[in-house]
Amino acid sequence: MTGTALPLTTARAEEPAETAAADVPDSGADADSGDLSYEQQQTYSDYYDTYSGQTRPNAEILLNGADFQSADCAQYEVGSYTGEEDGSTRDNALIWNSADGSFTYTIQVPETGVYSIEATYCPLVSNTSEISFSLAIDGEIPYDTASRLTLNKVYRNREDMKEDSKGNQVRPTQVQTEMWRTCWIGDSDGLFNEPLLFYLEQGTHEITLSSQKAYFALESLRFAQPEEVPTYAEYVNSTDAAVSPEETPETLVRIEGENAVYKSDSVLYPTYDNSTSAVSPSDPKHMVYNTIGSGNWKKALQTITWQVDAGTLSGDGWYKLGIKARQEEMRGFYSNRRIYIDGQVLCQEMDQVKFYYNTDFQMTNVQDSDGEDVYVYLTAGEDHTITMEAIPGEIGDSMRQLDAIVLDLNTYYRKIVMITGPEPDKYTDYYVHEKIPELVDEFSRMSAELKEIQGHIEELANSKGSEAASLEQMTVILDKCVADPLKIPNYLSQIKDYITSLSSWMRDYRDQPLEIDYLEIASPEKSFPSTKAGFWNSVSYSFQRFTASWDEDYSSLSSTTGDDAVEVWVSLGRDQAQVVKDLVESEFQQQYNVPISINLVVGGVVEATLADKGPDVALFLGGEFPVNLAARGLLADLSQMDGYDDMTKLYQDTAMVPYQYEGGTYGMPLTRSWAMMFYRKDVLSELGFSSAPKTWEDLIDMLPALQRNYMSAGLVLPAVAADANQATISAATESGLTFASLLLQRGQNYYNDAQTETTFDTNAAIDAFEMWTDFYTKYDFDQQYDAFSRFRTGEYPIVVSDYCTFFNQLAVAAPEISGLWDFAPIPGTVQEDGTVSHAVNSNNTGAVIFNKVSKKTNGLENAWTFLKWFCSTEVQVEYGTQIEGLMGQMGRYATANQEALTQLAWSTEEADTILGAMEELEEISIIPASYSVTRNVMNAFREVVNNNENPRDTLMSYNRDTNEEIARKRKNLGLDE
């Protein structure tokens, strides 16, 4: 983060900015609690509009990676580097083999104008999923996109497609590989088809590269102009072809989409469609991965590369390219791909190939504007590559205009809300058009621009109707506001709804989805075969699928059987269970020769165990289940196992607490996630704050400024059941629950040392309970709210939420606020020595061993060996890496293993923040009567908040009921007489 805090630029419309900011106290937070160093940067769209008309000099400025003037980096080398995959060696390279750091170069610009940048680099294998860095010119980042430039990594299948013991194909894991690449740095936001522009004046300039996700070898950055793509006629005339199209030998070559050799993203793994025999290949009885791109090949700059092996073609000649693909997400529109042959876009017809909407796969030929096939000249004696890159196409220009409009709409919506509040009184005249003088003119401008964009989109879609309905709805409301400004407050909720609808539409239609079945290369006289399945083939295929469903066991993944096999249940999805199975078969059984059977079972572990049908080992068992099973004598005490003490060193001090019962430990932690504070740097900075809150008192001090602008903060509160007739109550030990955090930060837990009673009758507990309820009574916090939406709009610039889930959700689903938010430990409590405790408990899942395994030969020892292996750092890293490779960032693994966490795909700064919060974790013990604690704590909370009862008396009353139930449960289990 660079820059300085902004002065207050947004305040209530009816009072000057300095008045709104006057009461804003300094929160007193230090750097580790959220420095708001934030500088508003202009968007690339505005920068492009300003400078795109400038001269584009026919000059080249070469910046060699090793020729930096200064470095601020802990680990780097200078010299030659060889790409593992291609064996190519480049000299004089900067080998940036760390996540962070910065390097400064000096360049001489011969002529003023705009330049693009071509990078020659080699991605290094690392724990980061992308290469991301910023580029500053003379110490200033020119626009927002330049603060998050990206270079593609290179992924490949770790092994060829293989089958499991049941004949189902196993999806290959995506692994990084190293090979030298040359590419122009483009717009990862998906708004521009051409490379990014940088305006440079003649003379000497400093170029600074800074990163938190580096790990790449840089040979050079070349400031120049991209070569103009030739027309098809120019390409044909420039090709030194040995044969004519008529002399090309008869050839038809098929390359299956799932057999792609390289991908730019770990989520571009093989996918499947086994619904019809028309997809190649297909199998009615078994899982066959036969496509690529389904649901995940949609982001700008993502590439997939296929190889045409030497000797595949019948001879040198001119060949046409056909692509059997499906685009079924953007109704009425087409998806765009840029096609490279051997790393080059050969002609303009390949610079943008359109794939139109269809629910079925269809063959798309590369053709010219007259509908004639485009041919490329290929030699038969060497390998060739075909690369397809996602680009925005013509819709990109409309999207960047919509980006600016939505930003303006959000700004004016927030200004109106500052005057009227989120729920205006329909009988009050607020005169918002007078208090915001430019409002009517701006609404009129935006309406006109939206109508123009709507016309362009309908022209692209070649139809009118639902494709641009969100834009039309917005223009209708804006026109009503312009026609009768006094009624603007009446339309406020509709404005908000349509902004949300418009943003959602933009998010969906900015993507460029495509699913590939196969590519075909054909000589001129060859026709591409039909993509449809014959009638009788379809009938036969459907019947076989139907009969195969009768005897398929979808829960068992392993073929390992036998009385001595350790039966392991995995309580997650099929992809996760498949990864566990693959690791067991490829590593564990090879090393230990212990029979393990992996089964996918979600839920029902307790019921199956009580019926003596349960597993020997259960993975990812969470909540109160381990202790409840242990209380009934069903689990093995792992603290008595050889090597237990060494295993505990992998975890933070309190990680074992949720698995401990009456002196024993009945589980090993696998996942551990906890609440952290997410905050909008831009919104808080606009309100005049220099830092995010460090303590609860800081947060309370910030509330007047937030609420005066009709904003608030969001805290964790167990959700109320959607159906009022259901008695669904989340655990009172849920991570980040304010009462639990306040109590832990006061140095006190839920129970006494013997766990026979609660500690809720102490002054510390009463103070914590009163502060918790005060947030909802005195400060009017919402009990239910959409954290993601309100954080995204800035209405809740501070939200306490699960660190892993919320971080990944923001990173994946809210790219427009990238760089505008950060996260830190939850607000804390000042201790007697002046330090601040940010203690919080976690949500966790673990691995347990059932006592029944002792009936098998060496069963307990084998099960413990398996648990030690699976919990080890190496296996946890490999498991987490493979899961993210399969599912993308949303599947990032929240491992409980401290060392493994640092080796997953977090940046250095992110990992340090997470580990800092982990060090302060304090866990709440699970007891057999935890359900009573949950119920009574939440009942006490609702009595106070909803019925205005006295906090102290209410807590004391419910605490008596809680302790009675704890005593009854202990007696029932034979713990007390």
Side-chain angles (χ1 to χ4, degrees):
M1 295 181 289
T2 60
T4 57
L6 287 177
L8 181 64
T9 57
T10 302
R12 289 188 298 165
E14 67 267 35
E15 63 185 36
E18 57 270 20
T19 304
D23 298 332
V24 178
D26 187 345
S27 66
D30 55 19
D32 68 354
S33 182
D35 179 20
L36 292 184
S37 297
Y38 167 76
E39 184 175 353
Q40 181 67 52
Q41 295 171 334
Q42 68 171 319
T43 65
Y44 177 62
S45 183
D46 290 340
Y47 185 90
Y48 180 88
D49 290 339
T50 302
Y51 292 107
S52 60
Q54 295 288 328
T55 303
R56 304 196 179 201
N58 185 21
E60 177 181 303
I61 309 163
L62 189 63
L63 181 157
N64 290 314
D67 296 340
F68 51 84
Q69 268 61 56
S70 62
D72 182 11
C73 184
Q75 190 172 357
Y76 68 91
E77 299 176 27
V78 172
S80 61
Y81 195 81
T82 302
E84 174 189 6
E85 187 73 16
D86 57 358
S88 175
T89 300
R90 305 296 175 90
D91 298 322
N92 201 32
L94 164 65
I95 306 166
W96 197 340
N97 51 5
S98 63
D100 49 12
S102 65
F103 296 87
T104 299
Y105 301 81
T106 299
I107 61 172
Q108 294 293 330
V109 179
E111 185 178 345
T112 298
V114 292
Y115 297 80
S116 295
I117 300 178
E118 184 183 55
T120 300
Y121 71 100
C122 178
L124 306 183
V125 174
S126 68
N127 64 319
T128 58
S129 58
E130 65 179 3
I131 299 170
S132 178
F133 62 95
S134 66
L135 187 148
I137 301 173
D138 297 327
E140 297 290 335
I141 296 176
Y143 47 81
D144 58 352
T145 309
S147 66
R148 42 187 167 82
L149 302 177
T150 60
L151 296 174
N152 286 336
K153 287 208 164 191
V154 181
Y155 289 84
R156 59 174 176 80
N157 295 346
R158 186 171 67 173
E159 65 276 313
D160 292 336
M161 208 87 69
K162 62 181 181 180
E163 294 182 354
D164 62 17
S165 56
K166 296 189 173 185
N168 296 311
Q169 284 190 344
V170 178
R171 178 184 286 161
T173 301
Q174 304 304 297
V175 295
Q176 297 178 26
T177 189
E178 300 180 358
M179 61 186 298
W180 285 97
R181 293 173 46 86
T182 298
C183 69
W184 293 94
I185 297 178
D187 175 31
S188 59
D189 292 336
L191 301 176
F192 293 84
N193 294 290
E194 63 183 76
L196 296 173
L197 301 179
F198 295 85
Y199 177 74
L200 296 170
E201 295 185 345
Q202 182 179 13
T204 302
H205 295 278
E206 279 191 347
I207 303 295
T208 301
L209 307 180
S210 303
S211 179
Q212 283 290 331
K213 293 184 178 181
Y215 287 110
F216 67 104
L218 177 66
E219 181 187 31
S220 65
L221 294 179
R222 187 171 71 94
F223 292 77
Q225 309 302 328
E227 293 183 6
E228 187 174 346
V229 179
T231 64
Y232 179 51
E234 291 171 339
Y235 161 67
V236 171
N237 293 332
S238 66
T239 302
D240 186 16
V243 297
S244 66
E246 294 75 17
E247 298 171 315
T248 300
E250 186 173 316
T251 302
L252 179 63
V253 175
R254 176 174 294 184
I255 305 170
E256 295 291 346
E258 65 274 13
N259 293 334
V261 289
Y262 303 120
K263 307 105 175 188
S264 64
D265 200 311
S266 62
V267 300
L268 300 179
Y269 43 73
T271 51
Y272 68 89
D273 182 344
N274 295 343
S275 62
T276 172
S277 60
V279 182
S280 171
S282 59
D283 188 319
K285 298 182 179 180
H286 300 103
M287 176 73 72
V288 174
Y289 289 96
N290 50 12
T291 67
I292 193 168
S294 176
N296 49 34
W297 190 20
K298 58 178 66 176
K299 301 299 182 185
L301 307 183
Q302 284 182 326
T303 63
I304 299 179
T305 299
W306 295 266
Q307 182 167 297
V308 184
D309 295 329
T312 302
L313 303 175
S314 300
D316 297 356
W318 293 88
Y319 296 93
K320 57 187 175 183
L321 177 63
I323 304 161
K324 184 182 177 185
R326 175 170 62 187
Q327 191 281 102
E328 59 174 350
E329 296 184 32
M330 298 183 0
R331 189 167 66 86
F333 284 86
Y334 50 83
S335 186
N336 300 283
R337 291 296 182 272
R338 179 177 288 142
I339 299 180
Y340 299 80
I341 306 296
D342 295 331
Q344 287 188 308
V345 181
L346 299 181
C347 58
Q348 292 176 5
E349 285 74 9
M350 290 189 168
D351 200 41
Q352 181 185 355
V353 178
K354 301 174 182 178
F355 296 84
Y356 289 89
Y357 173 83
N358 199 304
T359 56
D360 295 324
F361 283 94
Q362 57 183 346
M363 184 64 74
T364 298
N365 301 12
V366 180
Q367 298 179 329
D368 60 20
S369 57
D370 296 325
E372 298 294 328
D373 289 332
V374 167
Y375 293 89
V376 297
Y377 187 75
L378 299 175
T379 54
E382 57 184 312
D383 294 338
H384 297 281
T385 59
I386 301 173
T387 300
M388 297 176 64
E389 177 185 34
I391 60 171
E394 292 88 352
I395 203 170
D397 191 56
S398 294
M399 288 299 174
R400 75 182 185 92
Q401 295 179 58
L402 285 173
D403 262 358
I405 291 173
V406 170
L407 182 63
D408 289 342
L409 284 170
N410 271 317
T411 299
Y412 284 108
Y413 169 78
R414 194 162 58 190
K415 286 184 177 182
I416 296 170
V417 168
M418 288 178 180
I419 299 171
T420 67
E423 297 179 359
D425 183 352
K426 64 180 180 180
Y427 299 111
T428 301
D429 291 332
Y430 291 95
Y431 295 98
V432 294
H433 59 292
E434 295 181 3
K435 297 175 180 177
I436 311 174
E438 75 281 9
L439 183 61
V440 173
D441 290 340
E442 285 296 290
F443 275 8
S444 179
R445 173 188 64 82
M446 286 186 277
S447 175
E449 291 180 2
L450 284 172
K451 291 173 184 175
E452 183 180 346
I453 296 170
Q454 180 184 347
H456 181 235
I457 289 173
E458 289 175 343
E459 182 180 348
L460 293 179
N462 198 27
S463 67
K464 295 185 177 182
S466 61
E467 284 75 21
S470 297
L471 280 72
E472 186 172 8
Q473 291 168 343
M474 192 78 249
T475 58
V476 169
I477 290 299
L478 291 177
D479 288 344
K480 288 182 178 180
C481 292
V482 171
D484 192 350
L486 279 175
K487 291 186 178 179
I488 290 177
N490 297 344
Y491 299 125
L492 194 59
S493 63
Q494 291 174 278
I495 292 174
K496 180 181 179 181
D497 290 343
Y498 290 147
I499 290 175
T500 301
S501 176
L502 186 56
S503 297
S504 178
W505 183 90
M506 289 171 56
R507 185 171 64 252
D508 293 340
Y509 281 81
R510 176 181 292 185
D511 291 341
Q512 297 292 317
L514 193 66
E515 181 180 9
I516 302 288
D517 184 5
Y518 56 75
L519 295 79
E520 287 186 330
I521 299 172
S523 52
E525 76 282 1
K526 274 286 189 181
S527 298
F528 296 117
S530 171
T531 61
K532 306 296 183 182
F535 173 76
W536 293 112
N537 280 340
S538 296
V539 172
S540 174
Y541 186 87
S542 298
F543 180 75
Q544 291 180 73
R545 286 190 69 206
F546 174 65
T547 57
S549 66
W550 293 350
D551 52 12
E552 178 70 20
D553 183 0
Y554 294 99
S555 63
S556 178
L557 301 178
S558 298
S559 60
T560 304
T561 57
D563 294 338
D564 293 333
V566 177
E567 189 173 352
V568 177
W569 284 13
V570 180
S571 301
L572 289 175
R574 176 167 288 272
D575 281 336
Q576 291 94 328
Q578 187 68 54
V579 170
V580 175
K581 170 187 171 293
D582 292 344
L583 289 173
V584 167
E585 292 182 350
S586 63
E587 298 183 19
F588 178 77
Q589 290 181 341
Q590 304 298 323
Q591 182 178 353
Y592 296 100
N593 195 30
V594 172
I596 301 288
S597 175
I598 303 297
N599 299 272
L600 170 61
V601 181
V602 179
V605 175
V606 174
E607 294 83 351
T609 301
L610 294 176
D612 200 27
K613 302 291 185 181
D616 300 318
V617 173
L619 300 182
F620 304 105
L621 194 65
E624 301 169 3
F625 289 122
V627 165
N628 281 325
L629 290 168
R632 288 156 179 81
L634 298 174
L635 299 184
D637 183 358
L638 303 184
S639 64
Q640 304 302 312
M641 304 300 293
D642 184 41
Y644 168 79
D645 291 338
D646 290 334
M647 291 298 296
T648 61
K649 296 176 183 177
L650 299 174
Y651 307 100
Q652 186 260 354
D653 294 343
T654 63
M656 297 295 172
V657 171
Y659 307 96
Q660 292 175 340
Y661 174 72
E662 293 296 310
T665 302
Y666 296 91
M668 297 298 295
L670 291 178
T671 67
R672 208 175 179 203
S673 61
W674 57 91
M676 296 184 69
M677 177 182 66
F678 292 79
Y679 57 94
R680 286 285 297 269
K681 296 185 290 184
D682 56 336
V683 176
L684 293 182
S685 185
E686 287 176 1
L687 292 175
F689 296 103
S690 60
S691 58
K694 181 179 180 181
T695 67
W696 295 105
E697 286 73 18
D698 293 338
L699 176 61
I700 291 171
D701 288 343
M702 295 175 75
L703 291 178
L706 292 174
Q707 294 178 340
R708 185 167 54 244
N709 290 292
Y710 297 102
M711 299 176 184
S712 189
L715 303 180
V716 173
L717 186 70
V720 180
D723 185 345
N725 296 319
Q726 296 177 355
T728 301
I729 304 175
S730 300
T733 53
E734 180 174 343
S735 176
L737 183 70
T738 311
F739 174 61
S741 300
L742 289 169
L743 194 57
L744 294 172
Q745 290 170 9
R746 285 164 167 77
Q748 188 167 299
N749 213 295
Y750 272 22
Y751 311 106
N752 59 19
D753 292 340
Q755 297 184 0
T756 57
E757 290 184 339
T758 69
T759 60
F760 297 162
D761 56 354
T762 63
N763 289 333
I766 293 170
D767 290 344
F769 185 77
E770 287 182 341
M771 176 175 275
W772 178 35
T773 54
D774 280 350
F775 281 118
Y776 300 90
T777 54
K778 290 183 179 179
Y779 305 112
D780 201 28
F781 278 32
D782 285 339
Q783 294 187 47
Q784 290 181 289
Y785 64 97
D786 184 342
F788 175 72
S789 295
R790 295 201 181 184
F791 187 80
R792 187 179 191 175
T793 62
E795 293 175 84
Y796 276 28
I798 298 172
V799 165
V800 175
S801 190
D802 179 89
Y803 89 86
C804 192
T805 302
F806 202 63
F807 183 100
N808 294 330
Q809 187 179 19
L810 291 173
V812 172
E816 71 275 12
I817 59 171
S818 176
L820 303 182
W821 60 270
D822 209 337
F823 69 129
I826 67 168
T829 301
V830 179
Q831 308 297 293
E832 292 182 359
D833 60 1
T835 60
V836 177
S837 169
H838 298 279
V840 64
N841 61 312
S842 71
N843 296 322
N844 47 74
T845 64
V848 301
I849 299 176
F850 289 83
N851 283 328
K852 60 174 286 189
V853 77
S854 299
K855 299 177 182 178
K856 299 181 177 181
T857 304
N858 298 320
L860 185 58
E861 292 78 4
N862 288 344
W864 175 238
T865 299
F866 170 75
L867 239 62
K868 289 193 296 181
W869 169 82
F870 191 70
C871 294
S872 67
T873 298
E874 295 76 11
V875 176
Q876 285 289 289
V877 171
E878 189 166 3
Y879 173 81
T881 302
Q882 289 195 31
I883 289 300
E884 187 161 354
L886 287 173
M887 305 175 67
Q889 185 169 341
M890 287 302 293
R892 185 167 295 174
Y893 182 52
T895 180
N897 185 312
Q898 291 186 97
E899 187 176 349
L901 189 147
T902 64
Q903 298 179 43
L904 295 178
W906 300 102
S907 71
T908 302
E909 185 178 20
E910 292 162 0
D912 288 345
T913 301
I914 294 168
L915 286 175
M918 177 186 271
E919 285 299 319
E920 296 202 65
L921 289 181
E922 293 287 345
E923 297 296 353
I924 296 172
S925 299
I926 303 296
I927 64 173
S930 286
Y931 62 87
S932 175
V933 180
T934 293
R935 181 170 60 242
N936 286 305
V937 167
M938 295 312 301
N939 284 344
F941 169 83
R942 293 185 177 112
E943 282 289 323
V944 173
V945 174
N946 299 336
N947 299 329
N948 298 315
E949 297 292 340
N950 180 274
R952 176 185 291 268
D953 295 342
T954 304
L955 182 61
M956 290 299 95
S957 174
Y958 279 102
N959 186 49
R960 286 190 293 271
D961 294 342
T962 303
N963 287 329
E964 289 175 3
E965 181 63 14
I966 292 174
R968 188 195 70 80
K969 197 69 176 178
R970 289 181 62 84
K971 184 177 181 180
N972 179 264
L973 292 171
L975 299 175
D976 295 329
E977 295 182 359

